[in-house]
Structure formats: structure tokens, C-alpha cells
């Protein structure tokens, strides 16, 4: 129960890594606002699971690509919980396409959700923290090993994650006077809906697993544990860092 009484918003938490993070932080004692875009029923069920743990939770719909919706989401989360202590920027998308074929609308959507959404969610959160008048707060971004590693045929995704790395580094300095720490988690290949195609392609899957020293895909719990650490007092002096959670993939990487 390292997060007793903490008030948290996790974006994109109706499924995948975000859902696991929301539940894990609630198990540590936090009250958690769940956010969904297109599956209200999944958002509601995640929220209900959190309430069943005895924590407060509401599911709020918002598209992270839309800055007005992002601002409303953060404000509504703070209203529901009487403030916010921790923001987990988890929502993310990827589109598979050769660079030569990338469509402008796909580029715009990937950059909007993965980078612009994080930028303005964090801005709203930091303004709230400033207005609350007490120093402190945590921003934890779910980035990717591809904030550093090339990932051919996912160039907008890599550009967004590379951008997220520098956003995090900048904000670790700029938000330090408010007592807010800012860190990234860089998951490798995790068993989630974003990897649905890969999970159903045995040849690609075994080629990928062969590149992972720990010889398995990651589980959402592997990522949630890292978030719980960065959210806790144990990480009070950690800011501006990327915590890689990839089973060793980064140092053993070859083109997939
Ligand atoms: C991507 C996955 C990919 C993994 C490892 C993640 O960021 O979302 O599609 O399998 O990186 O390359």
C-alpha cells in the first residue's frame, strides 16, 4: 500500500498496459480515474474493478488527440478526486506502413495521441499542481524502446516516441521547481492489443522472442510494477529518466 490516498489519472486505461497500471496503482491504495476513447463498457468495467478494491474511481471518455478533450479530462479527474497527484500518460497508438506510403491522416493521428496529447495533459496537470500550492506530483509516460531504437515501417510512431523522450527530459527540468518528477517507461514487446497481429503470427512472434534475452514477451504486470515504483516515495529522487522494461531486447536488437 505505497500509494494510499494518492489521486491518479491513467490515460488509455480501458485495456492493455493502461488498465493493468490503473488496477495496480489502486491495489497500492490510490484512487484512480480511468480514461477510455471508444470502449465505454471496458472503461466502466475497469473502474468497477477499482471500486471493488475499495478505492474511488470514475471512467471518463476523452480522445487524447483532441486538446480540448484532454484539458476537460484532466480537470474532470481533479474534480472527481479533489485534486490529482499522479498523471500516467499511457494512451498510445501505432500504424504500420512503409515510409513511402504513410498517409498524412495517420501521421497526424499518431503524433496527436502519442505526443501532443501527452504534452497538453501534462500542461493541464502541472497547472493544477501549481494552483494547488503544494509542491509535488508525478508524471509517468509510457513511452517505448522505440524512443531510442529504429522500428522500420513505424516511422511516425518512432518520431512520436523520440519526441516523448525529449519532452520528458525538458519537463524534468522545467517542472522541478514545482516538485514534479517526470519519467518515461520504455516497454519492449508486451502482450497487449497493440501487438494483436504479431501475437497471431507464429513466425514473426518466434523471430521476435528469439531477440529477447529473457525469451518471452513482457506482461502488462511487468510494466505496471515499474509504474508503481516510479509513483512511489522510493522514486522521489528519480527524474528525467527512462526505465526500460524489455527483457533485454534493447541491447540485443536486430531489425524485425
Ligand atoms: C510497439 C510494439 C513492438 C515493441 C517492440 C512497442 O513499442 O508498440 O508493436 O512489438 O515496441 O518492438
Amino acid at each position: 500500500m505505497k500509494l494510499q490516498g494518492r489521486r491518479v489519472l491513467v490515460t488509455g486505461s480501458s485495456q492493455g498496459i493502461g488498465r493493468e497500471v490503473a488496477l495496480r496503482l489502486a491495489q497500492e491504495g490510490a484512487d484512480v480515474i480511468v480514461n477510455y476513447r471508444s470502449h465505454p463498457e471496458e472503461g466502466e468495467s475497469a473502474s468497477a474493478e477499482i471500486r471493488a478494491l475499495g478505492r474511488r474511481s470514475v471512467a471518463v471518455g476523452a480522445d487524447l488527440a483532441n486538446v480540448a478533450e484532454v484539458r476537460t479530462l484532466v480537470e474532470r479527474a481533479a474534480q472527481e478526486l479533489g485534486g490529482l497527484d499522479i498523471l500516467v500518460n499511457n494512451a498510445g497508438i501505432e500504424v504500420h506502413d512503409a515510409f513511402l506510403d504513410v498517409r498524412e491522416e495517420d501521421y497526424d493521428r499518431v503524433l496527436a495521441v502519442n505526443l501532443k496529447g501527452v504534452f497538453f495533459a501534462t500542461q493541464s496537470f502541472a497547472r493544477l499542481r501549481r494552483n494547488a500550492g503544494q509542491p509535488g506530483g508525478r508524471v509517468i509516460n509510457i513511452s517505448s524502446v522505440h524512443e531510442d531504437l529504429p522500428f522500420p515501417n513505424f516511422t511516425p510512431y518512432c518520431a512520436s516516441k523520440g519526441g516523448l523522450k525529449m519532452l520528458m527530459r525538458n519537463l524534468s527540468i522545467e517542472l522541478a521547481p514545482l516538485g514534479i518528477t517526470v519519467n518515461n517507461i520504455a516497454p519492449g514487446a508486451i502482450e497487449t492489443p497493440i501487438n494483436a497481429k504479431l501475437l497471431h503470427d507464429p513466425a514473426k512472434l518466434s523471430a521476435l522472442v528469439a531477440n529477447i534475452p529473457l525469451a518471452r514477451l513482457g506482461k502488462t504486470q511487468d510494466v505496471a510494477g515499474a509504474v508503481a515504483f516510479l509513483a512511489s516515495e522510493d522514486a522521489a529522487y528519480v527524474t528525467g529518466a527512462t526505465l526500460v522494461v524489455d527483457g533485454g531486447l534493447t541491447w540485443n536488437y536486430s531489425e524485425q
Side-chain angles (χ1 to χ4, degrees):
M1 296 291 275
K2 285 185 168 175
L3 300 174
Q4 192 84 51
R6 297 290 202 289
R7 300 155 301 180
V8 184
L9 166 62
V10 184
T11 68
S13 43
S14 61
Q15 60 176 4
I17 290 173
R19 186 182 183 112
E20 195 70 47
V21 166
L23 287 170
R24 175 64 196 270
L25 299 187
Q27 283 159 6
E28 298 283 347
D31 296 319
V32 185
I33 299 298
V34 168
N35 156 248
Y36 61 87
R37 179 178 64 90
S38 43
H39 296 288
E41 62 300 335
E42 289 182 12
E44 292 300 341
S45 84
S47 224
E49 269 191 64
I50 291 167
R51 289 194 297 270
L53 293 169
R55 312 311 317 169
R56 290 184 293 162
S57 181
V58 175
V60 180
D63 181 353
L64 270 290
N66 180 315
V67 173
E69 290 187 32
V70 168
R71 292 203 190 290
T72 307
L73 168 65
V74 176
E75 280 156 24
R76 167 93 194 277
Q79 272 161 17
E80 292 287 347
L81 300 181
L84 272 185
D85 305 292
I86 299 168
L87 170 65
V88 182
N89 288 307
N90 166 78
I93 57 169
E94 65 186 32
V95 177
H96 179 275
D97 239 330
F99 174 70
L100 295 180
D101 299 329
V102 171
R103 296 178 311 165
E104 184 180 356
E105 67 205 76
D106 287 335
Y107 173 94
D108 282 344
R109 178 132 195 100
V110 169
L111 271 289
V113 174
N114 296 7
L115 189 56
K116 191 177 182 184
V118 176
F119 188 109
F120 286 101
T122 305
Q123 187 186 63
S124 292
F125 172 79
R127 286 175 176 172
L128 275 173
R129 293 299 319 167
R130 178 195 57 194
N131 296 343
Q134 286 164 323
R138 298 283 159 94
V139 176
I140 301 164
N141 303 318
I142 306 301
S143 175
S144 166
V145 290
H146 300 298
E147 68 169 44
D148 272 320
L149 293 178
F151 193 17
N153 303 309
F154 290 89
T155 297
Y157 182 76
C158 285
S160 74
K161 297 299 185 179
L164 189 50
K165 178 172 76 175
M166 285 313 298
L167 177 64
M168 174 276 288
R169 290 181 180 182
N170 251 42
L171 297 187
S172 70
I173 298 170
E174 217 172 319
L175 298 182
L178 293 173
I180 300 173
T181 65
V182 188
N183 294 288
N184 282 9
I185 289 176
I190 311 294
E191 281 175 39
T192 70
I194 212 172
N195 279 315
K197 266 198 192 147
L198 177 76
L199 294 170
H200 294 104
D201 185 333
K204 271 198 178 155
L205 188 58
S206 58
L208 173 60
V209 171
N211 265 332
I212 302 174
L214 290 182
R216 65 169 176 89
L217 292 195
K219 297 187 181 309
T220 53
Q221 291 88 337
D222 294 317
V223 181
V227 176
F229 163 67
L230 286 177
S232 77
E233 272 314 295
D234 288 335
Y237 200 58
V238 181
T239 195
T242 293
L243 176 52
V244 176
V245 181
D246 73 345
L249 174 69
T250 294
W251 302 128
N252 208 34
Y253 189 74
S254 62
E255 191 180 311
Q256 289 169 45

